[in-house]
Amino acid sequence: MTARAIIIGAPRSGSGKTSVTIGILRALTRRGLKVRGAKSGPDYIDPGFHTAATGLSGVNLDSWAMSPSLLNALAAQAADDTDFVILESAMGLFDGIPASPGRTGSAADLARLYGLPVLLVLDVSGQSTTAAAVAKGFATYDPDVRMAGVVLNRLGSERHRKLSGDAIEAIGLPVVGAILRDPSLNLPERHLGLVQAGEYDDLMAHLDRLADTAEKSLDLDAVMALATPFAPAAGSFADALRPPGQRIALAEDAAFTFLYPHVAAYWRNAGAEIVPFSPLADETPDEDCDVCWLPGGYPELHAGKLAAAVNFHAGMARFATTKPIHGECGGFMVLGEALEDASGETHRMLGLLGHSTSFARRKMNLGYREARLRADCPLGAQGALIRGHEFHYAHMTATGNDEPLADLADGQGNPLGASGYRRGHVSGTFFHAIARS
């Protein structure tokens, strides 16, 4: 069976492409098709919705952070034994960073590489025929990126649909969907993006509402007809992040959620066992594990509960005496001495590293990163180059006296200085690892 695929893109974030993507994924799944969601770029949250909507694990495909060989391997895995792959763009379709051709991190890279058509989602609120000018710009901007159809989103009326849709079809682009403005379809957001799929009490009900809207407002048969065969070239997992141990104690709850699906999947496929535990439930890492991983998430929203988790604190201190612990972003914050929450209250953290962080005075840090490790740690061996991403609002209020973990550069190779800390068996950084460089 050869999978078929299409990219869902938009001019910018906030156009509604995630709701459209989830609605299509869920609607096609309800028809009995095997559908998988994919996300361009370094997004943790949307793949969780894709997985919930389809029952098949979502995946990130990142043309900057992943080598071409790893990208092909993951794309081929996504297409295997699947009817349709719906690939959602991050931000705007062409948004990436200045880089060598095909390595910008944009969804347009994936459209060129795999010859995939684009379904363009246009938020036409506040405009009518001008939407055709936007659509024409997308259609002509890059001849190697083909716009196959348009979905009109946030329409105010039937007249609004006709004005916008007729103008777009007059330039030769089919309009395959028209969605009326409905705030109840919006997914709630917070500072790092959408509220996560696992935090909904009625998640499936909301996903089914999105699917009902897709069935009613889109020509799903036409959308499926626009998709083209998806057959990536042969690839290799040689550049995937190695499992940091044979048995990996993984913090997993509402405070610790940001582990890329492809990272966990590769660890398991390589023979490692992931043993989850919940710091918020005052659980400790299994002492039979040989490494502990604290992923990113939202510890700033749960700082008081984490501070009061005495068993968690004691268990982590015991684990650190003999075995490696690594924390990424939120996990890194929890490894430090203290965390100041949004209200300005300071909470005691694990104290396994000497820094302190604050979420009270926010400053956004965002962008691709490449790290050269200064010492062996769960990310890799000394000298290894790791590509990844940084996205957080917290900042350091005290640096402590620990040794730096890595030397960091941005996505264009500009040096950013030392990053993260290490002490004994403990290491951590704000930087989220995606793949080996």
Side-chain angles (χ1 to χ4, degrees):
M1 178 173 63
T2 300
R4 298 173 69 82
I6 194 167
I7 293 175
I8 297 183
R12 57 176 174 81
S13 297
S15 299
K17 64 181 180 295
T18 297
S19 294
V20 171
T21 299
I22 295 169
I24 294 173
L25 287 170
R26 183 65 185 155
L28 297 184
T29 299
R30 295 193 313 193
R31 292 185 176 190
L33 297 167
K34 298 181 74 173
V35 192
R36 191 182 304 276
K39 179 76 178 186
S40 74
D43 186 303
Y44 299 95
I45 297 173
D46 289 354
F49 285 97
H50 298 171
T51 299
T54 65
L56 298 180
S57 178
V59 66
N60 295 85
L61 299 175
D62 193 311
S63 65
W64 183 85
M66 298 169 178
S67 68
S69 181
L70 177 58
L71 191 65
N72 283 338
L74 286 166
Q77 193 175 69
D80 184 47
D81 194 27
T82 306
D83 296 314
F84 286 93
V85 176
I86 311 295
L87 201 162
E88 181 187 351
S89 166
M91 300 173 60
L93 179 70
F94 295 97
D95 292 333
I97 64 170
S100 58
R103 299 298 303 274
T104 72
S106 72
D109 285 349
L110 304 176
R112 296 185 203 97
L113 177 62
Y114 300 121
L116 297 180
V118 175
L119 180 61
L120 184 64
V121 177
L122 292 181
D123 176 355
V124 295
S125 58
Q127 61 181 202
S128 58
T129 54
T130 299
V134 178
K136 185 171 184 177
F138 270 79
T140 59
Y141 180 73
D142 185 336
D144 294 326
V145 179
R146 181 172 67 89
M147 301 301 121
V150 175
V151 171
L152 304 175
N153 196 25
R154 298 180 183 137
L155 288 160
S157 65
E158 174 59 27
R159 181 173 180 272
H160 190 188
R161 183 206 65 75
K162 183 169 177 55
L163 287 169
S164 304
D166 288 357
I168 289 171
E169 293 200 322
I171 65 170
L173 277 176
V175 174
V176 297
I179 303 172
L180 290 172
R181 190 180 301 119
D182 182 354
S184 72
L185 298 176
N186 295 340
L187 295 162
E189 299 186 40
R190 60 163 66 108
H191 54 282
L192 296 180
L194 296 176
V195 172
Q196 300 164 101
E199 296 183 60
Y200 284 75
D201 292 329
D202 59 346
L203 174 63
M204 295 313 297
H206 189 74
L207 298 184
D208 282 328
R209 282 197 298 273
L210 293 175
D212 291 343
T213 299
E215 291 279 8
K216 178 180 68 176
S217 305
L218 277 60
D219 184 342
L220 289 176
D221 292 330
V223 171
M224 289 189 287
L226 294 175
T228 57
F230 186 34
S236 164
F237 286 94
D239 295 323
L241 288 176
R242 297 288 184 263
Q246 181 63 38
R247 298 189 80 236
I248 305 164
L250 177 69
E252 189 176 87
D253 56 28
F256 300 95
T257 57
F258 292 168
L259 183 66
Y260 289 111
H262 74 274
V263 171
Y266 179 74
W267 287 353
R268 290 189 177 98
N269 291 339
E273 180 185 1
I274 296 177
V275 183
F277 71 102
S278 170
L280 287 179
D282 205 9
E283 295 175 355
T284 63
D286 190 326
E287 294 184 3
D288 289 336
C289 291
D290 45 27
V291 65
C292 178
W293 192 280
L294 301 183
Y298 292 102
E300 62 272 20
L301 303 181
H302 306 277
K305 196 167 184 179
L306 290 170
V310 293
N311 290 330
F312 168 58
H313 282 243
M316 292 294 288
R318 285 195 305 271
F319 200 97
T321 60
T322 58
K323 299 173 183 179
I325 295 174
H326 183 72
E328 287 191 327
C329 201
F332 173 57
M333 293 162 67
V334 173
L335 287 174
E337 291 285 347
L339 193 169
E340 183 184 19
D341 65 20
S343 69
E345 184 177 355
T346 298
H347 304 270
R348 183 176 64 88
M349 293 290 107
L350 293 173
L352 298 177
L353 293 173
H355 63 283
S356 295
T357 53
S358 172
F359 186 67
R361 292 154 287 172
R362 305 183 192 185
K363 179 182 178 183
M364 186 172 73
N365 292 269
L366 174 67
Y368 282 123
R369 302 288 184 258
E370 185 170 67
R372 184 178 294 277
L373 301 178
R374 290 193 179 189
D376 295 353
C377 72
L379 287 176
Q382 180 181 1
L385 277 174
I386 308 294
R387 283 196 166 187
H389 191 258
E390 192 171 348
F391 182 23
H392 59 91
Y393 286 87
H395 68 278
M396 206 92 68
T397 56
T399 57
N401 297 305
D402 299 314
E403 292 294 318
L405 178 64
D407 293 305
L408 211 60
D410 67 15
Q412 295 173 266
N414 299 309
L416 298 176
S419 173
Y421 296 111
R422 55 190 169 90
R423 180 201 301 174
H425 296 98
V426 181
S427 59
T429 173
F430 274 124
F431 159 82
H432 293 275
I434 295 176
R436 302 197 307 164
S437 181

